[in-house]
Every structure is written in C-alpha cells, then in structure tokens.
Amino acid sequence: MGDIANSKQVTLLEVVEKLLDKGVVISGDLILSCGNVDLVYLNLKLVLTSVQTMLEGNAIKKDVNL
Amino acid sequence: MKLPYLLGFVRNCADLPSEPPLLTELTTVGEHGVIWCKSPVEIFSTKQDFLLAMLQWFEQIRQLELTVLPMQSGVSVSNEGHLVELLRTYERELDLCFDKVEGCSEYCLTIIQRNQDYAHLSYSSLRENVRSGKEYLDRVRMWHQLMEREVSQAREVISNFCLRLTPWIKDCWSEVPQTRGEGINLGFLVPNTCQPEFINELELLLAEVNVTDKWTGPWLPFHFSSFTLKPERFLIHESLNWGKGRATS
C-alpha cells in the first residue's frame, strides 16, 4: 500500500517538474546566476561566455580601434 | 545577496497565508501582486523536496480558490525593489492573461502510444548490418514514412480529445511526441464550474479509446499563462542545481 502511494507521489512530482518548465516565461537573453557567485551571460544563439571575458573582449576591440 | 524567486502572479489578493516549508511573500501594486520566496536552493536540500513543497503549495492555492499565473521555474529578480517595477511594466499583459484564465484550472494527460509498428526500431539501428547504400537509404525512407504516420496518428488523437471535450474547456494545449516512445501531452483549461462534467467526459473518452493513462489535475494554468517577460535588466534565470551528490532526480 505504501509503495502504491509512493509511486503515485513520484508520478505527480514528475508532472510538477514538467509543468514548472512552463508558466510565465522569460524570452530572449537573460542573466544566469550560479549560487550567487558566478554570473554568466547566456545568449539564446547558444553563445555562452563569461561576463568578464566578454568585457575583456570589448576592451581589446576598443584598443584595436584606437 | 537576496534574490526574490518568483512563484506567480495574482490579482485582487491582499493577503496570502505563508506556511513552511515554502514561506512566501506577496508584493502588490494596484490589483496585481507577485508571489515570491527565497531561492529554493537555500531552502531545500534536494530537488525532490522542492518539488514536494511546490505540490503542497499548489494544493494550498487550490483550497484558497485563487487564480495564480505560475512562473517558469528558476526566475528571480535582482532585488525586492524590482518587483514593483515588474508589476508596473507588465500590468496590461497580466490583465489580459488573468481575463483568460480567471476561475479556471489546468488538467493534464499524457497518452503513451502503445502497439506501435516496429516499436523496437530506433534511428541508430538503421545502420546495423547494412550491406549497401541503397539498403540504408531504403531504411531511412521507411523510417520517415513511419514517423509521418505516427505524427499523423498523434494529431488525430489530439484532435479527437479536444473536439470531444470542447463543451467543457476554455482552451487546450497539445504536444506531439518529440521522439519515438514519448507520449502525447495534452493540457486542458477548464472553468472550475465545469470540472465535474469535464472529468466525467474525459473518463468516458479514455474508456472508449481503451487508454489506461491517468489524467492529473487540477493544476495552476501553466500552459495557458502564455505571456513572456522580456529580458529586463533585473530579471535573472537562477540555476536550480542542488549538486550531483544531493539531487535525487
């Protein structure tokens, strides 16, 4: 009896997990936080780079332009 | 740094009971409010605990007969001050969405297609023991015909369910299987006043088509809270990672 109750709960939790992917969603680019420490900039074109690297890249480009 | 983790929006709700383990807070502007809590990774030690707490929270919302526009998992704002900005920015979208789902709940159903032709066949197996290029191309052609037939069958099932349940639903959502062996996902937006009739009709329909899969609900209207938040500077997608050692699912 306990097993049946547990299996029902597991199924429901699977549904909850699937549902939580929906709802009011964010579109486009977003900031991803990992444990309040590392912030990365995630571009939906699947370009993933660290904010620091991106800023450094911009600084180099500016230097080149100068 | 405290990042308010967003759970959902409410309308015309001045106060909301907050019970452990999910201690919620409410920030309101005018008639709209946003429900939030601390980051789940700070509160729960496993993903399963988090999902269980969400399940309990949905039950509380149901008992209070509140309509909540649920948020996609993992959305936070950079600080509490931005909650007000969020509500002001999306006032119109919130009203439109609430007008659609107010007084409704979602019911979900996943239908697994059983007795499929060549159920054992997978895409990778097409290359097994292949003797010529022509044989391989013939197998690929057959594979595509099989997939086309299965997608067509899935669409027929979806159409049948949606049509039959139309009198009792306000809207429906569906998803054909992404790969072989996956189920057809259906979501129905049902006015709370029509729930008994809807469930009765759904049970009849499932028996008629000899489908033993169970429906679930009532849920918050996840598939019908369809507006999107633009990438505002204060919106954060928080990684809900409990770590390999602790996560149970």
Side-chain angles (χ1 to χ4, degrees), chain B residues 88-150:
Chain B
R88 286 194 176 130
T89 305
Y90 291 94
E91 190 182 1
R92 185 176 149 69
E93 285 87 349
L94 284 167
D95 262 334
L96 288 172
C97 205
F98 271 114
D99 287 346
K100 180 183 173 184
V101 304
E102 194 90 72
C104 296
S105 303
E106 177 170 345
Y107 285 79
C108 294
L109 175 68
T110 300
I111 302 170
I112 305 293
Q113 287 178 295
R114 296 182 178 86
N115 304 320
Q116 285 180 320
D117 295 333
Y118 308 103
H120 60 284
L121 197 63
S122 65
Y123 189 76
S124 57
S125 69
L126 298 180
R127 291 181 184 175
E128 283 173 15
N129 304 320
V130 72
R131 284 163 297 185
S132 67
K134 184 179 179 307
E135 187 182 350
Y136 177 66
L137 287 175
D138 284 344
R139 286 187 190 183
V140 171
R141 192 175 298 117
M142 191 201 76
W143 171 265
H144 283 290
Q145 285 169 350
L146 192 63
M147 295 301 292
E148 200 177 330
R149 194 160 68 232
E150 285 179 6

Side-chain angles (χ1 to χ4, degrees), chain B residues 1 8 11-14 37 39-40 54 58 62 74 78 96 102-103 163 186 192 197 202 215 235 246:
Chain B
M1 186 169 59
R11 186 161 72 171
N12 298 322
C13 174
C37 65
S39 171
M54 291 303 288
F58 297 156
R62 195 185 65 80
S78 48
L96 288 172
E102 194 90 72
L163 202 64
L186 290 157
N192 295 338
E197 292 89 348
L202 181 60
W215 51 268
L235 281 172
R246 290 186 297 170

Side-chain angles (χ1 to χ4, degrees), chain B residues 18 23-24 34 36 42 46 53 71 75 87 101-102 120 127 130 140-141 147 164-165 181 203 208 211 219 225 249:
Chain B
S18 176
L23 293 168
T24 57
V34 56
W36 55 279
E42 291 179 41
T46 66
M71 294 292 304
V75 179
L87 289 167
V101 304
E102 194 90 72
H120 60 284
R127 291 181 184 175
V130 72
V140 171
R141 192 175 298 117
M147 295 301 292
R164 178 75 175 267
L165 295 164
E203 295 275 14
E208 278 174 29
V211 170
W219 300 104
S225 304
S249 58

Side-chain angles (χ1 to χ4, degrees), chain B:
Chain B
M1 186 169 59
K2 186 179 181 183
L3 302 176
Y5 178 88
L6 306 186
L7 295 169
F9 294 104
V10 279
R11 186 161 72 171
N12 298 322
C13 174
D15 191 25
L16 198 65
S18 176
E19 292 173 20
L22 200 65
L23 293 168
T24 57
E25 299 195 48
L26 181 67
T27 299
T28 56
V29 173
E31 61 179 15
H32 297 136
V34 56
I35 309 168
W36 55 279
C37 65
K38 268 173 65 176
S39 171
V41 287
E42 291 179 41
I43 306 171
F44 305 104
S45 54
T46 66
K47 186 177 178 182
Q48 192 168 3
D49 290 344
F50 165 61
L51 295 175
L52 200 56
M54 291 303 288
L55 191 60
Q56 288 168 354
W57 186 65
F58 297 156
E59 181 58 22
Q60 283 172 22
I61 297 293
R62 195 185 65 80
Q63 285 173 0
L64 292 168
E65 297 182 1
L66 270 177
T67 302
V68 173
L69 296 181
M71 294 292 304
Q72 184 184 39
S73 190
V75 179
S76 299
V77 294
S78 48
N79 66 56
E80 284 182 50
H82 288 135
L83 294 167
V84 171
E85 198 175 339
L86 182 74
L87 289 167
R88 286 194 176 130
T89 305
Y90 291 94
E91 190 182 1
R92 185 176 149 69
E93 285 87 349
L94 284 167
D95 262 334
L96 288 172
C97 205
F98 271 114
D99 287 346
K100 180 183 173 184
V101 304
E102 194 90 72
C104 296
S105 303
E106 177 170 345
Y107 285 79
C108 294
L109 175 68
T110 300
I111 302 170
I112 305 293
Q113 287 178 295
R114 296 182 178 86
N115 304 320
Q116 285 180 320
D117 295 333
Y118 308 103
H120 60 284
L121 197 63
S122 65
Y123 189 76
S124 57
S125 69
L126 298 180
R127 291 181 184 175
E128 283 173 15
N129 304 320
V130 72
R131 284 163 297 185
S132 67
K134 184 179 179 307
E135 187 182 350
Y136 177 66
L137 287 175
D138 284 344
R139 286 187 190 183
V140 171
R141 192 175 298 117
M142 191 201 76
W143 171 265
H144 283 290
Q145 285 169 350
L146 192 63
M147 295 301 292
E148 200 177 330
R149 194 160 68 232
E150 285 179 6
V151 168
S152 165
Q153 283 168 348
R155 292 209 170 112
E156 207 172 302
V157 171
I158 290 166
S159 167
N160 184 26
F161 271 77
C162 292
L163 202 64
R164 178 75 175 267
L165 295 164
T166 295
W168 317 114
I169 62 177
K170 204 170 176 185
D171 200 0
C172 67
W173 166 89
S174 62
E175 188 180 58
V176 294
Q178 303 296 307
T179 57
R180 297 199 82 205
E182 273 191 10
I184 302 166
N185 290 311
L186 290 157
F188 303 100
L189 185 65
V190 183
N192 295 338
T193 50
C194 295
Q195 283 181 5
E197 292 89 348
F198 167 80
I199 292 168
N200 189 41
E201 193 69 18
L202 181 60
E203 295 275 14
L204 279 174
L205 186 52
L206 289 171
E208 278 174 29
V209 293
N210 201 21
V211 170
T212 53
D213 302 292
K214 283 297 289 179
W215 51 268
T216 60
W219 300 104
L220 305 183
F222 279 95
H223 290 101
F224 305 95
S225 304
S226 51
F227 79 91
T228 53
L229 302 173
K230 291 179 279 295
E232 312 284 351
R233 63 191 160 77
F234 51 83
L235 281 172
I236 290 170
H237 201 285
E238 190 177 349
S239 170
L240 292 182
N241 185 1
W242 276 271
K244 283 181 184 173
R246 290 186 297 170
T248 54
S249 58

Side-chain angles (χ1 to χ4, degrees), chain A residues 29-31 39-43 47-62:
Chain A
D29 299 344
L30 42 90
I31 298 291
L39 286 179
V40 290
Y41 178 80
L42 175 64
N43 184 296
V47 178
L48 185 65
T49 178
S50 76
V51 171
Q52 192 55 42
T53 310
M54 188 173 70
L55 293 175
E56 282 169 3
N58 283 345
I60 291 167
K61 277 182 194 168
K62 278 182 187 171

